[in-house]
Amino acid sequence: MAASWSLGGALRGMFQRATIDETTWEQLEDALIGADFGPDLADQLVEELRGQVARFRTTDPADLQRMLREALEERFARLDPTLTLSARPAVVLVVGVNGVGKTTTIGKFAKFLTNHGRSVLVGAADTFRAAAVEQLATWAERASATIVRPQQPGQDPASVAFQAVESAQRDGVEIVLIDTAGRLQTKSGLMDELSKVRRVVEKLSPIAEVLLVLDATTGQNGLAQAEAFIEHAGVTGLVLTKLDGSAKGGFVLAVQEKTGIPIKLVGQGEGISDLTGFNPTAFVAQLVG
Ligand code: GDP
Ligand code: GDP
Ligand code: MG
């Protein structure tokens, strides 16, 4: 079954035509923009492929499909999607705006790690809403992870993060995943709070990964979010969620190219197993068909 973000449907007409001509290029550009590659990247890809088609003197749309696949793979391969989790404990800070899927991602990721025999502790540094702590606690239980909660409502998130890492160090827990409150990238006070969480945790341990969660259905607006978080939170990897509900697979490449930060995890559903590492080759195969 084709994923909803696949270009397959939009490109099918193009690949079924007998030749490559101006209509082909228009259809390709429309398909790329429709899939949210963004105008810059769509233009670059069309120009690059036009050049190749001319150089190889081909008029066969099947060649163009293969060239598109290779061009996308080559772009994805420029950044390494591997998570760096070898430190003990490996501390992972999860950040992003409200509702993108931070807490859900932590739940799924914790489950993935405990399935692979790692011990996991989650830190409920989203102290802004009491319900947020309960939501994380439910995921922790399903994932067989331990949780460090605030000792009182509204406790300083930096202090909960500190206690989570301290507890993992004391008990020899291998991976610490820290949940944070959603914040708009335009609220500088809240962005400073993130810097503070980092600073305080680093008194105990280097931070292995800062993962910025982006909702694929928000498309290009996600880019503005990404830039502010990168500036304030030292983001080392991107998590793209809700790809299951998105027709915008191209956003994945657009955001990676604009930020220079690799996508490391992909969420495709609300279930506990709906999270995978990012595999560029498999992704491109699904995207282009
Ligand atoms: P947070 O505010 O960033 O912590 O976001 P939550 O983890 O609370 O998630 C917000 C909503 O998005 C919830 O209803 C989740 O079930 C949903 N969600 C998270 N990840 C995904 C995903 O990959 N696919 C879909 N369809 N929904 C998701
Ligand atoms: P400042 O507020 O900019 O001065 O930042 P600090 O680095 O002094 O951190 C202030 C807050 O972070 C404190 O109120 C604590 O909540 C938390 N914090 C910092 N260091 C520690 C620590 O050693 N233990 C605990 N539990 N919390 C800490
Ligand atoms: Mg949350």
Side-chain angles (χ1 to χ4, degrees), residues 55-288:
R55 200 156 51 243
F56 290 101
R57 298 174 200 285
T58 179
T59 54
D60 182 353
D63 284 336
L64 176 56
Q65 185 172 21
R66 185 176 42 74
M67 288 170 184
L68 174 61
R69 210 181 288 127
E70 285 169 4
L72 293 174
E73 277 174 11
E74 189 268 320
R75 282 167 181 268
F76 275 120
R78 290 176 195 168
L79 298 174
D80 180 3
T82 314
L83 285 155
T84 310
L85 297 176
S86 48
R88 290 293 174 261
V91 179
V92 179
L93 192 61
V94 179
V95 304
V97 305
N98 281 311
V100 288
K102 293 179 295 299
T103 305
T104 307
T105 296
I106 288 181
K108 295 174 187 173
F109 193 29
K111 177 70 171 176
F112 174 86
L113 292 166
T114 57
N115 276 349
H116 285 78
R118 302 276 86 83
S119 52
V120 178
L121 182 150
V122 299
D126 179 354
T127 60
F128 198 61
R129 295 176 303 124
V133 177
E134 291 320 309
Q135 185 195 0
L136 186 67
T138 303
W139 278 111
E141 195 178 335
R142 295 174 68 193
S144 310
T146 44
I147 181 167
V148 166
R149 300 159 174 268
Q151 283 152 338
Q152 69 265 349
Q155 185 179 336
D156 185 337
S159 133
V160 180
F162 184 96
Q163 285 161 359
V165 175
E166 193 176 45
S167 166
Q169 287 178 332
R170 192 182 50 236
D171 299 340
V173 176
E174 295 170 287
I175 317 271
V176 184
L177 307 177
I178 298 175
D179 197 13
T180 60
R183 61 201 72 225
L184 277 177
Q185 71 275 12
T186 50
K187 292 272 194 295
S188 69
L190 289 174
M191 297 307 278
D192 291 345
E193 188 182 272
L194 274 187
S195 315
K196 179 164 151 187
V197 171
R198 284 184 61 90
R199 212 168 55 239
V200 169
V201 166
E202 282 168 348
K203 291 182 185 183
L204 290 175
S205 160
I207 294 183
E209 293 275 359
V210 179
L211 298 180
L212 171 63
V213 181
L214 296 172
D215 174 340
T217 63
T218 63
Q220 298 289 313
N221 181 42
L223 282 173
Q225 293 171 18
E227 279 156 22
F229 278 95
I230 287 160
E231 193 184 325
H232 289 88
V235 177
T236 59
L238 306 176
V239 180
L240 262 245
T241 57
K242 310 191 195 183
L243 263 175
D244 53 307
S246 164
K248 302 181 174 209
F251 175 65
V252 175
L253 184 57
V255 78
Q256 176 167 296
E257 296 238 325
K258 276 278 197 308
T259 61
I261 295 179
I263 289 144
K264 297 195 171 176
L265 292 169
V266 169
Q268 301 201 57
E270 295 181 276
I272 200 160
S273 58
D274 295 330
L275 183 79
T276 54
F278 183 61
N279 177 334
T281 309
F283 188 82
V284 171
Q286 275 197 56
L287 189 61
V288 180

